[in-house]
């Protein structure tokens, strides 16, 4: 199995360190995402499941939503445009989006 | 001016004033109250992804590198922007948004998206295309006027510098 990144590459990481880590599988993306959500919303990880409706069930305001988006973009070195955010409903949708996102 | 032209002129000026006012109010009441509109537009010119050079960014904003340097110094101090030296050519300084800068950028783009959605949603595909074309023409015309004036400024400055020497 792919190992989790120990040091998620930040925007200012030297170029030679980029994209050298093994890509995460969907299970690991789910773990990372739930970890971020749990920290952002101060909720225990057990309260999230793949079919949790992000905009309906979570108390996520627009700033927190963008905090999540910006952190996911840096962690995975991907781009998440607003059009993509509008298409997702559940946590599983976000996992699928990250898995298929353009680098 | 014919009444219809009068109405159009008034609406155009209202839009211009109110967009600026709303952006300003949203900023001062929101999470990024330490940012001015001009600073926010500088963040927009840098963009949330690849780092840009000072020259590129100054060109997008239509300002000199000197003016941009002052603005960037302030944004670095406020932790919205960071500077990095190019790994290959140390003479080149690149600027990019920090996490805080990216958040301000995304929140601001949301304002624009909501505005555009509100205007475009009730329109048909053809109406959208026509509106986009017409607004594009207004944009081009206003930019031409701006260029005329800014060239005029440079011209004046050159003349003054000459007389001073």
């Amino acid at each position: 199995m792919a190992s989790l990144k120990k040091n998620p590459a930040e925007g200012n990481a030297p170029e030679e360190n980029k994209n050298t880590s093994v890509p995460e599988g969907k299970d690991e993306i789910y773990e990372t995402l739930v970890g971020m959500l749990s920290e952002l919303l101060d909720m225990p990880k057990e309260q999230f499941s793949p079919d949790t409706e992000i905009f309906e069930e979570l108390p996520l305001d627009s700033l927190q939503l963008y905090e999540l988006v910006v952190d996911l973009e840096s962690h995975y070195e991907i781009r998440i445009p607003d059009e993509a955010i509008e298409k997702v409903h559940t946590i599983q949708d976000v996992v699928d989006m990250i898995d298929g996102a353009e680098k | 001016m014919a009444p219809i032209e009068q109405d159009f002129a008034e609406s155009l000026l209202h839009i211009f004033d109110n967009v600026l006012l709303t952006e300003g109010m949203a900023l001062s009441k929101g999470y990024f109250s330490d940012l001015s509109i001009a600073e926010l537009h500088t963040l927009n010119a840098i963009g949330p992804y690849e780092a840009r050079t000072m020259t590129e960014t100054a060109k997008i904003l239509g300002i000199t590198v000197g003016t941009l340097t002052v603005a960037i110094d302030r944004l670095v101090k406020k932790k919205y922007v960071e500077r990095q030296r190019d790994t290959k050519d140390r003479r080149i300084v690149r600027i990019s948004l920090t996490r805080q800068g990216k958040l301000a950028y995304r929140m601001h783009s949301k304002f624009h998206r909501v505005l555009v959605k509100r205007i475009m949603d009730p329109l048909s595909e053809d109406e959208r295309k026509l509106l986009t074309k017409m607004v594009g023409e207004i944009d081009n015309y206003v930019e031409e006027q701006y260029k005329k004036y800014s060239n005029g400024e440079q011209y004046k400055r050159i003349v003054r510098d000459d007389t001073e020497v």
Side-chain angles (χ1 to χ4, degrees), chain A residues 71 73 79-80 82 86, chain B residues 49-50 99 103 106 113:
Chain A
D71 290 343
E73 284 187 333
R79 294 183 179 198
I80 307 176
D82 282 336
E86 282 168 11
Chain B
Y49 299 114
E50 281 97 12
R99 181 176 186 270
L103 283 175
R106 298 292 296 235
R113 276 181 66 78

Side-chain angles (χ1 to χ4, degrees), chain B residues 19-20 23 27 35-47 57 60-61 75 105 108 112:
Chain B
V19 165
L20 274 184
E23 286 187 336
L27 269 182
L35 275 181
S36 69
I37 302 255
E39 287 175 327
L40 196 61
H41 290 163
T42 306
L43 300 186
N44 272 2
I46 301 168
T57 314
I60 294 169
L61 289 164
L75 286 167
Y105 172 95
H108 181 64
H112 286 236

